[in-house]
Amino acid sequence: MRNVPILAAFALLASLLAGGCTTPAAGGAPGLVGTQWIIASIDGKAPAAPDRARMGFAETRLSASVGCNGIGGEYRVEGDRLVAGPLISTRMFCEGLVGQQEEAVNALLSGAPRFRRNGDRLWIESGGHTLELHGAPTAKSKG
């Protein structure tokens, strides 16, 4: 029974990542809405779980994982800042480098980081933490 909150959080995260056919609203984040990213580096280091290090942006929600827990919540763009929150996360215990990287990503996203995008590259920086992301190939959705 204690796994129910974890399963519910994963279901929420899966729905955030699924996206579907949407058109960005006027208040959406230009250049981010509907994009999926592979996390290439966290504070200059390769992700501990590179096959699961991802970030995505729907119209008003973001989702991320560095390989252990899922992170998600609402976001908006103010100038060159990404203002996210409140953020939710699954609550599994994550040891070692993946746990440290997850803490860094949580701190980064909670700190209204600056971001810049150049084509299929995205950089997010705040509070001494930096994410470098590369555009993820996306399948054409029906709709």
Side-chain angles (χ1 to χ4, degrees):
M1 289 304 254
R2 65 182 202 169
N3 288 337
V4 172
I6 292 172
L7 293 174
F10 274 122
L12 173 63
L13 212 49
S15 71
L16 291 173
L17 289 171
C21 294
T22 61
T23 303
L32 292 180
V33 174
T35 61
Q36 297 292 318
W37 302 89
I38 297 168
I39 299 174
S41 72
I42 303 165
D43 295 338
K45 295 179 182 170
D51 57 325
R52 295 180 300 190
R54 303 267 192 249
M55 185 170 221
F57 295 90
E59 189 172 320
T60 60
R61 299 191 66 80
L62 66 80
S63 58
S65 176
V66 296
C68 187
N69 286 296
I71 304 163
E74 292 187 6
Y75 81 97
R76 68 184 183 281
V77 171
E78 293 181 1
D80 67 345
R81 294 205 176 261
L82 182 68
V83 181
L87 296 173
I88 60 170
S89 175
T90 54
R91 306 286 292 168
M92 293 184 292
F93 178 71
C94 309
E95 290 186 287
L97 184 57
V98 73
Q100 293 167 5
Q101 289 179 334
E102 184 174 293
E103 288 175 16
V105 170
N106 270 317
L108 174 91
L109 293 174
S110 298
R114 292 189 189 286
F115 76 96
R116 72 186 151 86
R117 180 178 179 182
N118 186 359
D120 70 345
R121 303 281 174 131
L122 177 66
W123 294 267
I124 304 174
E125 303 173 320
S126 177
H129 296 293
T130 303
L131 281 181
E132 180 180 345
L133 304 102
H134 300 171
T138 58
K140 298 285 183 193
S141 61
K142 298 177 185 176

